[in-house]
Amino acid sequence: MEVDEWHAPRVLLTVDLVILTLRGSRLHVLLVRRGIEPYQGEMALPGGFLRDAEEGIAEAAHRELAEEAGLDAASLHLERSGVYDDPGRDPRDRVISVAYLAIAPRLPEPVAGTDAAGACWTPVDDVLTGHVKLAFDHRQIVEDGVERARAKLECSSLATAFCGETFTISDLQQVYEAVWGIRLDPRNFYRKVQQVQDFIIAAGPLRKTEHGRPARLFRAGPGRALHPSMLRPAAPVTEEGDDDER
Amino acid sequence: MEVDEWHAPRVLLTVDLVILTLRGSRLHVLLVRRGIEPYQGEMALPGGFLRDAEEGIAEAAHRELAEEAGLDAASLHLERSGVYDDPGRDPRDRVISVAYLAIAPRLPEPVAGTDAAGACWTPVDDVLTGHVKLAFDHRQIVEDGVERARAKLECSSLATAFCGETFTISDLQQVYEAVWGIRLDPRNFYRKVQQVQDFIIAAGPLRKTEHGRPARLFRAGPGRALHPSMLRPAAPVTEEGDDDER
DNA sequence: TTAATAGTGTCTCTCAGACACTATTTT
DNA sequence: AAAATAGTGTCTGAGAGACACTATTAA
């Protein structure tokens, strides 16, 4: 041991939010334009420093969610997603960032009551491909957050957090398709999702659709973990690994 | 935004290590007796403060692994496991802890070349049940680390990190049984583990056993992700959820 | 009617688990 | 021989995906 904590370095702590939602049939992330240096004028994730030494990190995440995105933290799914600590990630100082993943249902406007000017929903594909550049290591933070969301769709009821109070099975399928970035068979999805215990429960009336037969409405059920789980299709097995077996 | 970073609070950063290994057929975690306040004389996870502001957290984890446990970090599986930031978790100051999970193969002595006096392997069950008390929130850190190890056995080749250079299929089964805390059928395990691509590869000779037929030896294969995965048996389905259907 | 979406039934394949059975060693 | 562990074969049941089929709406 022999650690002398009086000489241990102190670091700054920020919270960054990866707020995901569906717009159209694509997954979007909320970005803000930075008003201060460094990276002034560039796009970045909403977030900021801890307010004071007594504020918990989760507490700060809730505060930033309300301040910067105008979203009611109580109604949103919010969970820690990752920690970013590369000593050179912020040119000013040693800054550690704790990322939080938030899932929002479809919202009519980019953001209502936003504190930061220039907040906007951006397709995650544009961020992941590098078409839209982000400040700091925020592209990596988005990538990790999206991957976490993808994984959690398999074994948790996270998908319902993308939907409103009630939704059809088709709505839910769109969530899975947008987040996973693949197409699913509607008939198999329909059967599968209803076999999961406590995932969705029937909620009264039908919803008229633009075309076709009206669909039943459902609400999120009490289950948090899915049994059986909604596994992603396995990546197609390529034969490239068998080269040395010829 | 409008965050004035000059007034943002700074925090201390520690790294804590959850080093797991198998001893006998039980899962053990490495603990040290604290030499300084707070919690002086009590058991805790090895770890410590960042050395300086330029040291990365992963770097610090490797350093502590060598200093406190005498283990060669290069040969061990080491990954970030969690972050602990409750403002009251350290009575002295605001201290954030980043936990790392390390997996060690069976070692002959409690620890060789250990810097900290009183380091010892302790059965994780004794920690999780509260039979052995730990300083700070270290019991929670152990619990989270063990759960992460349990989950990673399913989809990664982590289990081989508990074994030496070569091992039998029976050895590998003992890893799964000890970490998951359940018994597995040897015949099914044998078949299943060999169907996983690039998980284990045959390594020459047989190993004599105390009783019974000698077993083939294997080495860890190149695969990191397991296909198909080694899923834990599902928790038995209880009927308590069906009460409202009578 | 057609187009479109909702919802059902059924087949096949793969994998998990149960377990009978054979093989090879020590005592 | 018995005991013990290694390793194989086979059956059953559950779930995933393919896909034919029916149901109900708008245009």
Side-chain angles (χ1 to χ4, degrees):
Chain A
M1 273 276 183
E2 298 301 321
V3 175
D4 180 3
E5 70 267 26
W6 302 111
H7 293 99
R10 290 175 178 266
V11 301
L12 289 164
L13 209 57
T14 64
V15 169
D16 287 314
L17 298 175
V18 179
I19 309 173
L20 300 178
T21 196
L22 246 58
R23 298 180 66 76
S25 59
R26 297 177 69 189
L27 188 63
H28 286 62
V29 62
L30 187 70
L31 300 180
V32 298
R33 197 168 293 280
R34 283 182 62 81
I36 59 171
E37 290 290 349
Y39 296 102
Q40 183 167 8
E42 298 189 31
M43 302 306 288
L45 293 172
F49 290 94
L50 241 52
R51 192 203 288 283
D52 55 57
E54 283 71 44
E55 187 178 50
I57 300 182
E59 200 180 331
H62 280 83
R63 177 175 53 77
E64 294 287 347
L65 191 61
E67 284 181 12
E68 292 221 48
L71 296 172
D72 177 18
S75 66
L76 258 63
H77 176 95
L78 188 62
E79 67 173 59
R80 179 174 298 163
S81 149
V83 181
Y84 300 86
D85 71 295
D86 179 6
R89 62 181 292 279
D90 189 317
R92 294 166 294 182
D93 204 336
R94 182 74 191 270
V95 178
I96 312 276
S97 173
V98 178
Y100 273 76
L101 174 65
I103 307 297
R106 293 166 186 276
L107 302 168
E109 284 306 303
V111 181
T114 295
D115 186 41
C120 65
W121 293 110
T122 307
V124 291
D125 283 344
D126 292 351
V127 173
L128 299 186
T129 62
H131 189 255
V132 169
K133 302 278 191 195
L134 301 192
F136 304 108
D137 48 4
H138 285 188
R139 196 205 67 82
Q140 182 66 49
I141 297 177
V142 170
E143 182 173 326
D144 293 347
V146 169
E147 177 48 37
R148 166 168 289 242
R150 285 179 173 152
K152 292 213 75 168
L153 284 199
E154 291 192 324
C155 56
S156 87
S157 56
L158 180 64
T160 58
F162 282 97
C163 301
E165 183 68 16
T166 61
F167 49 85
T168 67
I169 288 182
S170 184
D171 292 338
L172 201 56
Q173 183 181 342
Q174 281 186 45
V175 173
Y176 277 89
E177 290 184 335
V179 177
W180 284 347
I182 57 175
R183 300 285 296 175
L184 299 171
D185 184 297
R187 295 100 89 197
N188 290 334
F189 184 87
Y190 189 93
R191 197 169 12 81
K192 194 167 168 176
V193 81
Q194 296 214 94
Q195 283 170 355
V196 178
Q197 301 297 320
D198 298 323
F199 186 16
I200 59 175
I201 52 183
L206 303 183
R207 169 187 293 171
K208 299 236 176 187
T209 51
E210 196 175 355
H211 295 296
R213 174 176 173 177
R216 282 187 289 194
L217 283 172
F218 293 84
R219 259 197 297 273
R224 289 288 304 124
L226 303 190
H227 298 289
S229 45
M230 303 280 298
L231 297 180
R232 273 179 280 191
V237 177
T238 60
E239 296 297 326
E240 58 198 70
D242 299 347
D243 289 347
D244 51 352
E245 294 190 18
R246 283 176 294 174
Chain B
M1 275 278 183
E2 299 300 320
V3 175
D4 181 2
E5 69 268 24
W6 302 111
H7 293 98
R10 290 172 179 267
V11 301
L12 289 165
L13 208 58
T14 64
V15 169
D16 287 313
L17 299 175
V18 179
I19 310 174
L20 300 179
T21 198
L22 246 58
R23 298 180 64 76
S25 60
R26 298 177 71 188
L27 188 63
H28 286 62
V29 61
L30 187 70
L31 300 179
V32 298
R33 196 167 294 280
R34 284 182 60 81
I36 60 172
E37 289 291 347
Y39 296 102
Q40 182 166 10
E42 297 191 31
M43 302 306 287
L45 293 171
F49 289 96
L50 241 52
R51 192 202 289 283
D52 54 59
E54 283 71 43
E55 187 179 50
I57 300 182
E59 200 179 332
H62 281 81
R63 176 175 54 76
E64 294 286 348
L65 191 60
E67 286 181 10
E68 292 222 47
L71 295 172
D72 177 20
S75 66
L76 258 64
H77 176 95
L78 187 62
E79 68 174 59
R80 178 175 298 163
S81 149
V83 182
Y84 300 86
D85 71 294
D86 179 6
R89 62 181 291 280
D90 189 317
R92 294 167 293 182
D93 204 335
R94 182 75 191 270
V95 178
I96 312 274
S97 174
V98 178
Y100 273 76
L101 175 65
I103 306 297
R106 293 167 185 274
L107 300 168
E109 284 305 302
V111 179
T114 296
D115 187 41
C120 65
W121 293 110
T122 306
V124 291
D125 283 343
D126 292 350
V127 173
L128 298 186
T129 60
H131 190 255
V132 170
K133 303 278 191 195
L134 302 192
F136 304 108
D137 48 4
H138 286 188
R139 196 204 67 83
Q140 183 67 48
I141 296 178
V142 170
E143 182 172 327
D144 294 347
V146 169
E147 178 48 37
R148 165 167 290 241
R150 284 179 174 152
K152 292 214 76 170
L153 283 199
E154 291 192 324
C155 55
S156 87
S157 56
L158 180 64
T160 59
F162 281 98
C163 301
E165 182 69 16
T166 61
F167 48 86
T168 67
I169 288 181
S170 183
D171 292 339
L172 201 56
Q173 182 180 343
Q174 280 187 45
V175 173
Y176 277 88
E177 290 185 334
V179 177
W180 284 349
I182 58 176
R183 299 286 295 176
L184 299 171
D185 183 297
R187 294 100 89 196
N188 291 333
F189 184 86
Y190 190 95
R191 197 169 12 80
K192 193 166 169 178
V193 81
Q194 295 214 94
Q195 283 169 354
V196 178
Q197 302 296 321
D198 297 324
F199 186 16
I200 58 173
I201 53 183
L206 303 183
R207 169 186 293 171
K208 300 235 176 186
T209 51
E210 196 175 355
H211 295 297
R213 175 176 171 176
R216 282 188 288 193
L217 283 172
F218 293 84
R219 258 196 299 272
R224 289 287 302 120
L226 303 190
H227 299 288
S229 44
M230 304 279 299
L231 297 180
R232 274 179 280 189
V237 177
T238 58
E239 296 297 327
E240 58 199 67
D242 298 347
D243 289 347
D244 52 353
E245 293 189 17
R246 284 175 295 172

